[in-house]
């Protein structure tokens, strides 16, 4: 008998779904941190929360991506 509530996904489909979910999460995190990065550029460099760990001068997008890649693994610990 067909069970309408269950979907049997192959391993490839599961990986694709996980990959899409990760990319969506990354895009949302980068966009949020981009807005924060743009607003914190108004502060002196010493007071910026994310610029202290950067070794070089970087764009707002690079800073947002770096912070998002550092923060996202903590979302999977819960």
């Amino acid at each position: 008998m067909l069970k309408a509530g269950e979907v049997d996904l192959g391993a490839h489909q599961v990986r694709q779904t996980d990959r899409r979910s990760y990319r969506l999460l990354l895009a949302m995190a980068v966009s949020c941190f981009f807005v924060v990065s743009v607003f914190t550029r108004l502060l002196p460099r010493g007071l910026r929360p994310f610029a202290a760990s950067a070794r070089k001068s970087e764009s707002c997008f690079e800073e947002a991506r770096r912070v998002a890649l550092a923060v996202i693994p903590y979302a999977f610990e819960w």
Side-chain angles (χ1 to χ4, degrees), residues 12-31:
H12 179 70
Q13 290 175 330
V14 170
R15 283 193 305 272
Q16 291 288 28
T17 303
D18 288 347
R19 188 174 294 144
R20 273 189 241 119
S21 298
Y22 180 77
R23 286 181 179 172
L24 178 63
L25 180 63
L26 182 63
M28 291 185 333
V30 168
S31 63

Side-chain angles (χ1 to χ4, degrees), residues 40-41 43-49 51-52 54-58 63:
T40 58
R41 291 291 168 122
L43 298 173
R45 185 166 174 86
L47 296 177
R48 292 185 206 159
R55 296 181 182 163
K56 60 178 177 107
S57 173
E58 58 188 3
E63 182 177 330

